[in-house]
Amino acid sequence: MEDLANRLPGSQLIGDGDILAGLSYDEAEWAPVGRPLGALRAESTAEVQQAVRACAELSVPVVTRGAGTGLSGGANATDGCLILDLSRMNRVLEIDRANLLTVVQPGVVNDDLKAAVAAHGLWYPPDPASAPWSTIGGNVSTNAGGLCCLKYGVTRDYVLGLEAVMGGPAGPYGTAVRLGRRTTKGVSGYDLAGLFVGSEGTFGVITEITLRLRPAQREAPRTVVGAFNSLVDAGRAVALCTERGMQPAALELLDRSCMEAVEQWKHLGIEPGAAALLLARIDAPGEAGTDEANAMAQAFAEAGSLWAEQSTDQVEAEALFEVRRLAYPALERLGPVLTEDVCVPRSAVPEMLAKTEEIGLRHGVRIATIAHAGDGNLHPLLITPPGDEAARRAAQAAFDELLDTAIAMGGTVSGEHGIGLLKRAGMRQELGPAVCEMHHAVKRTLDPLGLFNPGKVIGDPDTP
């Protein structure tokens, strides 16, 4: 720490154990956490450059974090690292209404950006459930999805360019480079900005991001709600909507356990009278929106819903979607949660939901399920009693079997939460040795010292 402080004059290094402990992990309760050397709350690109340069000279790993809302351990400290906290780099630097773009620092909170651009008649669509707290830098680093990515795409679809502090082929460690562009189109060279999206801080430190925007929506969306006697029936409704070519802005699933947990916590007056709810948001304007909402309700009914209702009451609709956003923190209150993030082909959603129930029963593990069901991205949440090691082992076995099942269906082990520490083995199984070695080759090329977030995503070649 003394050597680091000497190389960082004017920077406020953090060495207090209690503060470091709070900065050392994200929301992935089951991911391992190392002991950091110290932390630095950077406030500018220049300060990040200085810190990276000093860490390279001292062989101190750099682990970057934002709000710490990740669910895979990607921001967890490694032993002897410097935690680089970018939450104070939180300025919206530019809003360009004429060209539908914005330039932001990585610590800008997602919902704060939405509010800032809305004042200019613009909209930033990516909306992870953590949008009130998560930062744009973290969203970019994990290629976050969200409720409306079914129709409008994920974070990668909105990143035009970025600034990153790197080393290796970019120059000495601490070199800032600009990747990507500001134009709508551009194919000059490889898509290096796109490569950074979803890289979880393993190539360098993102210090500025240029994002695509859309015009704000002019009409209030319609909401269609369907109640089902079983998760599988709800899954059949999702598959039927996909088969018929419907394109809602969001199609979300909540099971009874999730609804009960939110109600016990927040007392919103939600009475879960069914095994599952589907929430569809239709934002097509005028008659097209009316027709699509009617068709959605009809598909729910044909799939066996207990009832299907439409609503244009914005307060009522937002209350239902708020239950969806609150589901994960509500379940966290009940015990340690091991969060899945599998994504399967949409036609396989009913089968994956059935398998999830069967795996939970066979292992004796309580599994609550929320899902971005419309795009096949399921979040089975495995809940264990605090301090129960046998239950923890059973949950880990169920977790691994869920990954195996998703891969067997042609799916992926992570749809939006990233790999971090929790999904490394599953990713290797999904990709195979040859493709994993390609990943290692990219990492070695861009970060030859292995300085940035070591052990995450692809892990080290010898890491199990």
Side-chain angles (χ1 to χ4, degrees), residues 30 334-337 364-366 382-392 394-395:
W30 291 45
L334 305 179
V337 176
V365 176
R366 179 183 178 186
L382 294 76
I383 306 159
T384 60
D388 189 332
E389 284 304 313
R392 192 178 180 93

Side-chain angles (χ1 to χ4, degrees), residues 252-263:
E252 298 291 305
L253 179 145
L254 277 165
D255 76 359
R256 181 185 282 115
S257 293
C258 296
M259 291 183 278
E260 288 176 344
V262 173
E263 181 59 26

Side-chain angles (χ1 to χ4, degrees), residues 343-346 348 351-352 403-413 430:
C343 193
V344 297
R346 287 180 283 187
E351 184 183 0
M352 189 67 208
L403 295 184
D404 294 343
T405 302
I407 293 170
M409 290 182 183
T412 178
V413 300
E430 176 188 334

Side-chain angles (χ1 to χ4, degrees), residues 7-340:
R7 286 170 168 79
L8 299 174
S11 294
Q12 298 298 311
L13 286 172
I14 298 169
D16 181 270
D18 291 337
I19 298 175
L20 286 179
L23 293 173
S24 292
Y25 56 88
D26 62 16
E27 293 292 323
E29 294 185 70
W30 291 45
V33 179
R35 292 174 61 91
L37 175 68
L40 173 65
R41 290 191 170 109
E43 298 187 8
S44 67
T45 296
E47 193 170 9
V48 171
Q49 290 181 271
Q50 190 178 28
V52 169
R53 191 176 303 120
C55 286
E57 292 170 358
L58 296 170
S59 298
V60 173
V62 175
V63 175
T64 308
R65 68 174 280 122
T69 60
L71 292 166
S72 64
N76 283 14
T78 57
D79 288 339
C81 76
L82 176 72
I83 298 169
L84 198 52
D85 180 356
L86 303 185
S87 59
R88 292 184 178 177
M89 294 178 65
N90 57 4
R91 290 187 299 137
V92 177
L93 301 172
E94 178 186 356
I95 298 174
D96 184 342
R97 195 172 188 278
N99 291 299
L100 296 177
L101 64 82
T102 183
V103 182
V104 303
Q105 292 182 311
V108 173
V109 170
N110 185 295
D111 270 3
D112 291 346
L113 175 61
K114 290 183 189 301
V117 301
H120 295 262
L122 302 171
W123 178 38
Y124 177 64
D127 62 339
S130 60
W133 314 284
S134 63
T135 62
I136 296 298
N139 293 171
V140 171
S141 292
T142 57
N143 190 24
L147 277 64
C148 74
C149 63
L150 171 62
K151 184 173 184 177
Y152 292 103
V154 296
T155 300
R156 174 176 280 115
D157 299 308
Y158 294 86
V159 176
L160 291 170
L162 52 85
E163 177 186 75
V165 175
M166 301 180 63
Y173 275 80
T175 299
V177 295
R178 290 192 174 273
L179 308 172
R181 62 194 191 280
R182 289 174 61 99
T183 54
T184 302
K185 297 166 67 177
V187 291
S188 295
Y190 299 125
D191 183 9
L192 297 181
L195 184 64
F196 263 74
V197 180
S199 64
E200 300 185 45
T202 58
F203 297 151
V205 182
I206 296 172
T207 52
E208 190 179 290
I209 306 146
T210 302
L211 297 166
R212 186 194 314 270
L213 301 174
R214 297 176 66 99
Q217 296 173 307
R218 296 185 177 182
E219 293 187 21
R222 297 163 175 81
T223 299
V224 181
V225 184
F228 297 84
N229 253 336
S230 74
L231 281 175
V232 175
D233 285 347
R236 291 194 187 102
V238 172
L240 185 58
C241 292
T242 300
E243 183 182 323
R244 292 181 177 176
M246 297 179 196
Q247 200 173 29
L251 183 52
E252 298 291 305
L253 179 145
L254 277 165
D255 76 359
R256 181 185 282 115
S257 293
C258 296
M259 291 183 278
E260 288 176 344
V262 173
E263 181 59 26
Q264 289 167 11
W265 180 28
K266 292 294 186 179
H267 307 292
L268 300 176
I270 302 296
E271 296 293 337
L277 283 186
L278 281 180
L279 309 176
R281 180 172 282 164
I282 313 294
D283 66 354
E287 287 297 316
T290 301
D291 292 345
E292 190 171 359
N294 290 334
M296 184 75 64
Q298 178 63 32
F300 286 5
E302 289 180 32
S305 65
L306 297 171
W307 51 263
E309 301 289 345
Q310 298 183 46
S311 174
T312 54
D313 184 326
Q314 282 299 100
V315 174
E316 178 184 69
E318 283 306 313
L320 288 168
F321 277 94
E322 183 66 9
V323 172
R324 165 63 183 87
R325 292 183 185 278
L326 290 172
Y328 181 80
L331 289 163
E332 274 189 312
R333 298 171 68 249
L334 305 179
V337 176
L338 183 56
T339 307
E340 275 287 11

